[in-house]
Amino acid sequence: MEESTVEKSSFIEIPTKKIYKQRAISVGTFLGGPLVAGYFIAENFKAFDENEKAKKTWIIAIVVTVFVFGTAFLIPDDVTIPNQIIPILYTGIAYYMAQYFQGEKIKEHIENGGVYFNWWRTIGVGFIGLFITILAAISIFILLDLAKA
């Protein structure tokens, strides 16, 4: 019995590309927003050789980012929503999407000895995404202010 287990495992190909684990996707998404979620999920699709899905993920991430922040800015000032509710919502959705579309492949990748990105990279990408999002929002506000003048 033990020999067949050893034989089977010797034929398993160890993945060489790095991926993001689901928890990393969640943490990075919470820090950096839906655009970062799109980056993480798209990078995983590329590692799994699903480049068309990676392209679709980027399109969806951009549309969702515009929708989320556009909607957030349209909420009237007299409506009070806890600050964490929107990030928690898009983080939960990103976690679910990663689980639904990549959960089995992530699990298989790790079980077969595949490597994944470390926390420093995950947090760094999250903060870079946050910076890009803030920069884009400030640019839009400046352009809208100039258009009014």
Side-chain angles (χ1 to χ4, degrees), residues 1-77:
M1 186 105 171
E2 218 173 294
E3 286 181 28
S4 65
T5 306
V6 173
E7 265 183 50
K8 279 185 180 178
S9 65
S10 66
F11 292 112
I12 295 175
E13 188 175 323
I14 297 173
T16 56
K17 296 178 182 175
K18 287 186 177 182
I19 63 165
Y20 290 95
K21 291 170 40 175
Q22 287 169 261
R23 178 169 277 171
I25 292 170
S26 296
V27 171
T29 299
F30 187 79
L31 291 173
L35 202 56
V36 171
Y39 171 78
F40 289 145
I41 294 170
E43 287 298 301
N44 280 359
F45 276 134
K46 284 193 233 175
F48 300 140
D49 292 323
E50 297 177 310
N51 292 326
E52 283 303 310
K53 289 181 180 180
K55 290 176 189 175
K56 289 178 185 176
T57 300
W58 270 114
I59 293 167
I60 292 168
I62 291 167
V63 169
V64 168
T65 301
V66 169
F67 175 77
V68 165
F69 289 101
T71 303
F73 290 123
L74 293 176
I75 297 172
D77 291 336

Side-chain angles (χ1 to χ4, degrees), residues 46-116:
K46 284 193 233 175
F48 300 140
D49 292 323
E50 297 177 310
N51 292 326
E52 283 303 310
K53 289 181 180 180
K55 290 176 189 175
K56 289 178 185 176
T57 300
W58 270 114
I59 293 167
I60 292 168
I62 291 167
V63 169
V64 168
T65 301
V66 169
F67 175 77
V68 165
F69 289 101
T71 303
F73 290 123
L74 293 176
I75 297 172
D77 291 336
D78 60 339
V79 176
T80 55
I81 298 175
N83 292 338
Q84 296 84 5
I85 203 77
I86 293 173
I88 288 171
L89 282 173
Y90 63 65
T91 299
I93 292 169
Y95 180 84
Y96 172 77
M97 298 305 278
Q99 171 63 32
Y100 184 80
F101 290 106
Q102 298 177 338
E104 286 300 316
K105 289 187 180 195
I106 291 172
K107 182 180 172 187
E108 183 180 308
H109 179 91
I110 292 169
E111 286 175 354
N112 290 338
V115 292
Y116 47 88

